[in-house]
Amino acid sequence: MTDSSSALGPERSAVADACRRLGAEGLLIGTAGNVSVRVEDRVAVTATGAVLAELTPDQVTVVDLDGQVVAGTLRPTSELDLHLGVYRRYGTGAVVHTHAPMATALSLVLDELPCVHYQLLALGGTVRVAPYATFGTPELAESVLAALEGRSAALMANHGALTHATTLDKAVEHALLLEWACGVYQRAAALGTPRVLDEKRQLAVIEAAIARDYGTTHPVPPAQEGTR
């Protein structure tokens, strides 16, 4: 093991920044949750027992894909096997696990969060709820990995939520989107039975998004000659 502060220095800072943002948004509380980012065969991941909303780069540990510490002085999160499992199976770039209030609440009562808003398609549509297993166990890791098949997010029964993406910024945005969608569903369910977007409507949204390059800014086209 080395303790070189330069090992994945920018990534360790980025993980700390992401945790503080998630804390400010109310998705992390105390030491509950964990965040990581992968660079080739190294992973910068939050240390166990760290207060995430106040995280500093020196509280982010660097491990290899076998879980061996290669930089840092603190033990990595107890959910390290879950993070590494996501990287191995899905080749993603970053993982965010929170105990966000709305996501956790819905994980207590739902088997899946249905696609009630088209923005959920950014996560793959319906969000599955992984069956409960004790934190930090191989059983939990396998349960969540199965729920993530074809998805960028999963709820974890009686536990929380997990998102992943190609970049840390996207994984954080996915976590924020999931919490927003859980809040929308909870409010709608208090009023009645939420309407769900069927496959036909979901496909129409995907086609419209592709045709319009949805989510990307575009300059106003220059005025045509003779129309000025």
Side-chain angles (χ1 to χ4, degrees), residues 26-77:
L27 273 67
L28 295 175
I29 183 169
T31 64
N34 27 80
V35 175
S36 70
V37 63
R38 174 183 177 178
V39 178
E40 297 180 350
D41 62 349
R42 295 289 185 265
V43 175
V45 62
T46 50
T48 188
V51 177
L52 298 170
E54 303 171 359
L55 202 75
T56 57
D58 63 317
Q59 294 174 307
V60 179
T61 301
V62 179
V63 301
D64 62 23
L65 292 179
D66 293 322
Q68 297 299 310
V69 174
V70 298
T73 59
L74 300 175
R75 285 191 296 125
T77 173

Side-chain angles (χ1 to χ4, degrees), residues 111-126:
D111 294 323
E112 64 178 25
L113 171 64
C115 188
V116 292
H117 193 283
Y118 66 82
Q119 283 190 277
L120 275 170
L121 293 173
L123 305 178
T126 298

Side-chain angles (χ1 to χ4, degrees), residues 101-211:
M102 283 296 179
T104 303
L106 292 194
S107 81
L108 305 179
V109 297
L110 296 181
D111 294 323
E112 64 178 25
L113 171 64
C115 188
V116 292
H117 193 283
Y118 66 82
Q119 283 190 277
L120 275 170
L121 293 173
L123 305 178
T126 298
V127 179
R128 304 182 187 101
V129 179
Y132 179 79
T134 304
F135 77 92
T137 61
E139 291 78 14
L140 176 64
E142 187 54 42
S143 173
V144 177
L145 290 174
L148 285 171
E149 186 67 40
R151 301 290 189 271
S152 297
L155 298 178
M156 303 160 66
N158 300 76
H159 187 154
L162 184 140
T163 62
H164 69 90
T166 54
T167 69
L168 182 55
D169 284 345
K170 288 183 179 178
V172 169
E173 291 301 324
H174 284 347
L176 294 169
L177 171 58
L178 177 59
E179 181 69 355
W180 172 82
C182 287
V184 168
Y185 181 89
Q186 186 272 338
R187 291 176 178 87
L191 299 172
T193 301
R195 287 189 293 269
V196 177
L197 297 179
D198 59 23
E199 290 186 10
K200 182 179 178 180
R201 290 185 171 92
Q202 291 180 38
L203 180 59
V205 169
I206 293 171
E207 291 173 343
I210 293 172

